[in-house]
Structure formats: structure tokens, C-alpha cells
Amino acid sequence: MDAHDTGSDARHGPDEPGGPVVAPEIPLSGEARTGVAALSPRYQIGAALALAVVAIAVCVHLGMTFLHVAPVNTISKQHGKAIDEWIYPEFEQNWKLFAPNPLQQNIAVQVRAQVRTTDGGTRTTGWYDLSAQDGRAIDGNLLPSHSQQNELRRAWDFFLATHDGDNRPVGLRGALAETYLRRIAVLRLDREDAAGPGGVVARVQVRSRTTNVPAPEWSGEKVSDRPVYRELSWWSVPDDEAKGGVA
């Protein structure tokens, strides 16, 4: 074909035999839209409202948490009930962000038991340091369990919060706190095989041993290094708990 004939071929329409294939032209209206911009205006408004609701909820939660852990102030006094209802129980905080007097004591929870032996007699065990057991289980453990870290500590804190200085309940949850602490003690004694072969734990007694953290060398503060004990009364162990613990 002669090069001069190409011009005549270009005059054929796309539907005519032998004519060139011409692609339909697509009007350009800028780059393709993605993300929220690709949505219709109605859905864009819905997405914006959803983001606004989430942002407000996050801000309210952060504000409530801040007021909960911050020192008592005018706002927390006026709206304390609303703050507590928002925080408890799902978002409970057990640390103080602005604690003026951080804990400077080591508190260990210990327990001993009176055991009924197979010959009908009784014997009293020595003191088992349950806090030290947890400490040994956590030391060097990259992934300690929640019970190892918090079960005993929270049970003791629960008892202190529901009892006065004479170990008498001050609220409706006092009996629950005693039962919870007693059951933990019985289970721990069973792990240590405190009852011995055929023995049954009849009563348990719990106490705390508190010692002050030594002051740093550069400080002139003097603190006593003598431990202080808080002994609770003997608690009878129900048969179902005692048999369950032995099992």
C-alpha cells in the first residue's frame, strides 16, 4: 500500500469495513476519588457525624478518667457521682497519677491454719507468706498471670476498704470480703500441702506484715525498719471449702 493512500483510509467511519477502530472518548473530570471523597454527599455527612460522635466519646472518657485520678477539686466534688458511674466497674483505676504521698511500704499477706489430723487431733501450721510466693512466681516471668499479680493484693485491699481498724465490717460487703480472702487462703494452703496426708483445714488466720521502704542514702530521713503486724481473728472454714481445698 502506498503511503499516500493512508489519508483516504482515515476517512472511513468506524462502522465501515476497513475503517480504523476509534476508541470512545471519556471526558476527564480530574483524578479518581477515593476514601470518603468517593462517597455520595449523604454518606459523607453520615461518616462525618460518626467521627464526631467517636471524638466526643473519647474526649469525655479522657476527661472522666483525668478527674477520677486527679486530686479532689471543685468539679469532682460537684459531679463525683457521675464520674464514679462512668468509671466503675469497667474503667476502674488503681493508681494515682498525682499521688502526693506514694506508697512507701512493703505489705505482705500471710496465713496459718489449724488442721484436723486423721487421729482426731489438731495442729497449727507456721505462717505462709503468700505475697512472697506471688513474688517468686512473678520474678523473671515475662508474662505473669493476672492472679499472680493482683488476686491476693486486691483481696487484701478489698478487706481493708470494708473493715475498720479493729477489723470489724463497716458495710454490707464486709462479709463478702472476708469470704473472698478466706477462700484464697485455703486454696493457697492446699497448694502448699499444709494439711498433710488426710488432714483437713479447720480454721485459718490471716495477718499482714508491713515494713517501711528504706530511705535513699542521700536523704536524711530516718524510718523504722521494724515490721508492723495486723492480725485478724481466726476464721472457721466451712466443710465444703475444706473438702474442696483438700481435693
Side-chain angles (χ1 to χ4, degrees):
M1 179 182 295
D2 193 343
H4 296 287
D5 295 333
T6 59
S8 61
D9 291 339
R11 289 191 296 270
H12 294 286
D15 296 331
E16 296 179 7
V21 177
V22 180
E25 295 184 358
I26 300 177
L28 300 177
S29 59
E31 297 181 356
R33 295 181 298 177
T34 59
V36 178
L39 301 175
S40 64
R42 182 177 61 181
Y43 287 105
Q44 288 182 6
I45 295 174
L49 291 176
L51 290 175
V53 170
V54 172
I56 293 173
V58 170
C59 291
V60 170
H61 177 69
L62 293 177
M64 290 291 191
T65 304
F66 176 83
L67 292 172
H68 177 67
V69 301
V72 178
N73 53 70
T74 303
I75 298 178
S76 61
K77 288 181 179 179
Q78 294 179 350
H79 305 285
K81 184 178 179 180
I83 295 172
D84 290 342
E85 290 178 351
W86 180 277
I87 294 296
Y88 294 105
E90 289 84 3
F91 307 116
E92 180 183 0
Q93 304 293 322
N94 294 304
W95 48 272
K96 298 296 183 180
L97 180 62
F98 302 102
N101 295 309
L103 185 63
Q104 298 179 351
Q105 296 173 327
N106 289 321
I107 301 175
V109 179
Q110 303 173 343
V111 64
R112 65 177 177 175
Q114 286 185 351
V115 179
R116 291 196 301 266
T117 59
T118 54
D119 58 3
T122 60
R123 65 180 176 86
T124 302
T125 68
W127 289 100
Y128 290 84
D129 195 328
L130 305 184
S131 297
Q133 295 174 6
D134 285 347
R136 288 192 295 269
I138 294 172
D139 189 22
N141 188 348
L142 296 179
L143 297 172
S145 68
H146 178 75
S147 61
Q148 291 170 338
Q149 299 179 82
N150 298 313
E151 181 184 58
L152 180 63
R153 178 182 61 83
R154 293 297 303 277
W156 182 248
D157 289 345
F158 184 27
F159 178 87
L160 295 181
T162 55
H163 291 72
D164 60 17
D166 295 325
N167 302 324
R168 294 175 301 189
V170 294
L172 298 177
R173 299 197 300 169
L176 176 61
E178 293 179 4
T179 302
Y180 183 49
L181 185 59
R182 185 189 68 236
R183 289 182 176 179
I184 291 176
V186 173
L187 289 174
R188 299 291 185 90
L189 288 171
D190 176 56
R191 294 175 192 172
E192 295 296 317
D193 196 21
V200 177
V201 176
R203 298 200 303 169
V204 294
Q205 184 181 30
V206 178
R207 74 177 183 182
S208 66
R209 181 180 186 272
T210 303
T211 55
N212 293 318
V213 176
E217 296 181 357
W218 49 263
S219 173
E221 183 180 2
K222 301 296 183 181
V223 296
S224 174
D225 58 355
R226 295 183 59 184
V228 177
Y229 293 92
R230 177 173 178 172
E231 287 192 2
L232 309 185
S233 302
W234 283 94
W235 291 334
S236 297
V237 179
D239 290 340
D240 58 341
E241 290 185 23
K243 294 177 181 179
V246 173

